[in-house]
Amino acid sequence: MTLARDPREEARRAVAAAPGNAIAWIVLADAELDAGNAAAGDAAVRRALALAPGHPEALARLGRLQWMQGRHRDAADSLRQAARAAPGHPGIALWLGHVLEDTGEAEAAAEAYARAHALAPDAAQIAAHLLAWRRRLCDWRGLDALSAQVRGAVARGEAAVEPFAFLSEDADALEQLRCARLSAVQVARRARVLPPRTISDAGPLRIGFLSNGFGAHPTGLLTVACFEALRAEPGLEVHLFALNPGDGSAVRQRLEAATTLHDVASLPHAQVAMRIRDAGIDILHDLRGWGGGGVPAVLAMRPAPLQVNWLAYPGTSGAPWIDYVLADGFVLPPGLEAGFSEAVARLPRCFQPSDTRRAPAPPPSREACGLPDEGVVFCCFNNSYKTNPASFARAMAILRGVPGSVLWLLSGPGRGDDRLRAAASSAGVDAARLVFMPKQPHADYLARLQLADLFLDSNPYNAHTTASDALWAGCPVLTRPGRSFAARVAGSLNHHLGLGELNVADDAAFVGLATALGNDPARLRDLRSRLHGLRACSGLFDMAGFARDFAAMARAMAARHRDGLPPASIELHQA
């Protein structure tokens, strides 16, 4: 394969030819930061500012550098200076919005995105950021128009928008594939692919996992028991490549004890790829994909012979450097395969593992949680961007049909909670029937989940880790499986648990079943009792069984590769 031209080489030649040109140094800073090399980017930015003090483009790159270094307040200051110096620059307003998200200035971030969109109203990439952030703030003004702009641009191949944010649009798997491919093409243009290597017949099969979530994070919480169980599988070595530094959590300690953990936080992309290659990884699982903190540029270098999309990004990578997507028959049925660039590897149980060593603490009192003494507690602890007008209207219909009930929600950023209260009032529901829970430590969150009677899922982006948490805590999950991977995860959990009757066909059935359960306390108690029994005996929470299946799938992938066969669909059946 021909190596892509490295943009840094061209930028370095430009500064060598004109060392007094500040713009050349700004271009070099961009190239170094794109490659994940903060130190080299820092040197280029400083030189640009020395040559052109206060130049808005140089200040913007300084802000980007500081953001990469985790210095979010400094980054916001630099980008505010840049925005004041160049008030008509939509790109600087956009970067300022990104940084203000991380400093917790949620409403100011929305204003920055809105300003960027006003300056460049035809730029679908900017529209996509404004759309995604308004969803997070439950600010539904202009949502349909923004969504139409973004989806139209993706359909025409005109703009590469963030595939993760696109999952919240009511798109099917084919639309999501088009979106992901547009981003993958951009990454591939800059990728310098490593020489190919094959999986050896000798020695153990080395399986690797790349993520920024190896700690007290949903990825760590989902995978830690699986990694512990994999130690019993012969002929396997498990390596984690942590893009996040150690957080001192018990989960991180368990991950370090169960695997060989490589700390690659803050390393340039090329060094991360070489650490993976030097470890001799045969099958590398990307546990972030297009999600925040992912490093597709590392995967594009092909550090491992086989590379797998698994768990954290619920859709296709659209990337030629990913060979398989790990799924199950419910979450990715044959009818959705055309929307995936990868070969589909189906496990016999739910593709999502869980930490079965966690024991929910006794629940606090309802009063301590702001819940009424009596009445059904519906809940939806999904992130706020998943609560769209259609899902919220469905929940309001349920509250109107179940007197005395409340809806318990996870508190969102900015003024999102107030907007939802106003939307409830507009729907004829007393705003006091919405109860908001601030984010809690995981153990406290699980304890509170035991007070909820029924989890009301969202569409088109389901509860994923949150649904697993709810089921583990004994709270049934009502969902409407949709037409994409992201819309079928909660349904997969129910299906493999043995509660398929909670997977309904449409919104009318969703409202009807929730209302019937809410008005029939005995039926709801029976459902919760059944969940308790199934949790103990179904394959959903059997991590030893999951590890056996996972290891068998890895061996099947490796066997095809050793035989010189290309990736193809693999379907395991439970022993």
Side-chain angles (χ1 to χ4, degrees):
M1 184 178 293
T2 303
L3 296 183
R5 179 177 296 177
D6 188 341
R8 293 176 297 176
E9 294 175 0
E10 294 183 24
R12 287 165 184 161
R13 285 195 293 270
V15 297
N21 186 329
I23 298 299
W25 285 100
I26 288 168
V27 172
L28 176 58
D30 262 340
E32 297 290 4
L33 295 175
D34 283 343
N37 193 334
D42 191 346
V45 166
R46 301 295 174 184
R47 183 60 183 152
L49 284 168
L51 290 168
H55 193 295
E57 297 282 7
L59 285 169
R61 272 61 181 188
L62 176 61
R64 183 183 175 196
L65 167 71
Q66 291 164 331
W67 176 81
M68 284 179 63
Q69 295 171 330
R71 297 162 54 199
H72 296 150
R73 294 288 177 190
D74 292 340
D77 290 342
S78 297
L79 282 159
R80 281 193 173 107
Q81 290 181 54
R84 286 194 293 269
H89 194 309
I92 290 175
L94 180 68
W95 284 1
L96 177 58
H98 294 339
V99 170
L100 292 174
E101 288 187 29
D102 291 325
T103 59
E105 298 171 75
E107 299 294 336
E111 291 169 7
Y113 289 139
R115 185 163 59 253
H117 188 247
L119 291 168
D122 295 328
Q125 288 149 315
I126 293 176
H129 287 292
L130 175 59
L131 172 62
W133 197 241
R134 280 191 173 170
R135 288 195 185 282
R136 193 173 289 274
L137 294 178
C138 300
D139 181 354
W140 298 329
R141 293 174 299 157
L143 224 57
D144 289 344
L146 287 168
S147 183
Q149 180 182 0
V150 171
R151 291 177 68 181
V154 167
R156 295 186 297 272
E158 294 176 357
V161 305
E162 287 191 357
F164 183 80
F166 196 72
L167 296 177
S168 293
E169 304 312 306
D170 195 14
D172 61 21
L174 284 169
E175 283 185 83
Q176 291 177 359
L177 173 60
R178 284 193 289 270
C179 179
R181 276 183 169 153
L182 289 168
S183 290
V185 166
Q186 289 193 337
V187 174
R189 286 182 183 140
R190 300 189 295 267
R192 295 178 62 84
V193 182
L194 295 171
R197 61 169 285 263
T198 57
I199 299 176
S200 171
D201 288 324
L205 184 64
R206 295 179 175 88
I207 56 176
F209 302 84
L210 178 67
S211 177
N212 68 338
F214 290 133
H217 177 278
T219 298
L221 292 164
L222 286 176
T223 57
V224 62
C226 167
F227 291 140
E228 289 168 339
L230 279 172
R231 288 180 296 186
E233 292 301 312
L236 289 185
E237 280 186 13
V238 178
H239 294 254
L240 308 187
F241 296 86
L243 296 164
N244 57 307
D247 58 5
S249 67
V251 172
R252 178 74 170 219
Q253 293 168 15
R254 289 171 60 191
L255 290 167
E256 291 172 344
T259 69
T260 299
L261 190 146
H262 307 258
D263 185 344
V264 296
S266 303
L267 291 183
H269 300 329
Q271 290 185 30
V272 176
M274 285 310 302
R275 290 283 293 274
I276 295 166
R277 174 59 63 94
D278 291 345
I281 299 304
D282 298 311
I283 305 175
L284 179 64
H285 299 77
D286 182 10
L287 298 191
R288 202 66 202 141
W290 295 113
V295 283
V298 171
L299 280 296
M301 297 178 196
R302 273 285 184 181
L306 288 177
Q307 300 188 160
V308 182
N309 170 15
W310 180 47
L311 196 61
Y313 182 73
T316 183
S317 67
W321 57 82
I322 299 291
D323 302 294
Y324 289 96
V325 58
L326 197 59
D328 63 66
F330 187 96
V331 80
L332 207 173
L336 294 187
E337 281 193 36
F340 283 74
S341 59
E342 308 92 340
V344 180
R346 290 187 178 88
L347 295 168
R349 64 189 80 219
C350 181
F351 79 101
Q352 181 179 282
S354 183
D355 181 13
T356 49
R357 284 180 53 185
R358 55 194 168 150
S365 68
R366 289 172 64 125
E367 181 183 12
C369 298
L371 298 169
D373 292 338
E374 297 181 352
V376 172
V377 177
F378 297 108
C379 75
C380 182
F381 293 139
N382 287 342
N383 281 313
S384 55
Y385 61 84
K386 298 183 182 182
T387 301
N388 56 28
S391 292
F392 189 75
R394 196 169 65 183
M396 293 303 98
I398 294 164
L399 290 190
R400 289 194 299 269
V402 183
S405 63
V406 296
L407 178 62
W408 201 7
L409 299 163
L410 185 66
S411 186
R415 297 195 299 273
D417 297 357
D418 291 337
R419 292 188 179 99
L420 290 180
R421 290 187 182 101
S425 295
S426 297
V429 174
D430 184 350
R433 294 175 69 186
L434 303 189
V435 180
F436 292 92
M437 179 182 73
K439 286 197 173 181
Q440 303 287 328
H442 192 69
D444 295 339
Y445 160 63
L446 283 180
R448 283 161 172 75
L449 260 170
Q450 296 170 85
L451 297 175
D453 294 301
L454 184 66
F455 190 108
L456 303 179
D457 200 12
S458 55
N459 289 91
Y461 200 151
N462 281 177
H464 293 180
T465 306
T466 313
S468 178
D469 289 338
L471 294 172
W472 185 247
C475 176
V477 176
L478 177 63
T479 189
R480 175 176 66 78
R483 51 194 183 133
S484 69
F485 193 120
R488 300 181 64 82
V489 174
S492 174
L493 291 163
N494 279 341
H495 172 78
H496 289 95
L497 180 64
L499 284 176
E501 70 264 33
L502 294 182
N503 295 343
V504 297
D506 53 36
D507 286 348
F510 189 101
V511 172
L513 182 53
T515 302
L517 288 168
N519 286 311
D520 190 341
R523 185 179 174 190
L524 192 54
R525 282 195 302 271
D526 178 66
L527 176 63
R528 292 172 63 85
S529 176
R530 285 177 56 213
L531 167 58
H532 182 78
L534 290 168
R535 190 184 64 177
C537 68
S538 80
L540 180 64
F541 293 113
D542 175 7
M543 288 304 101
F546 185 95
R548 287 193 299 273
D549 295 340
F550 194 97
M553 182 62 79
R555 295 185 188 108
M557 292 176 183
R560 285 193 61 85
H561 180 84
R562 291 187 183 113
D563 290 342
L565 298 173
S569 292
I570 300 173
E571 190 116 13
L572 282 188
H573 298 285
Q574 199 161 322

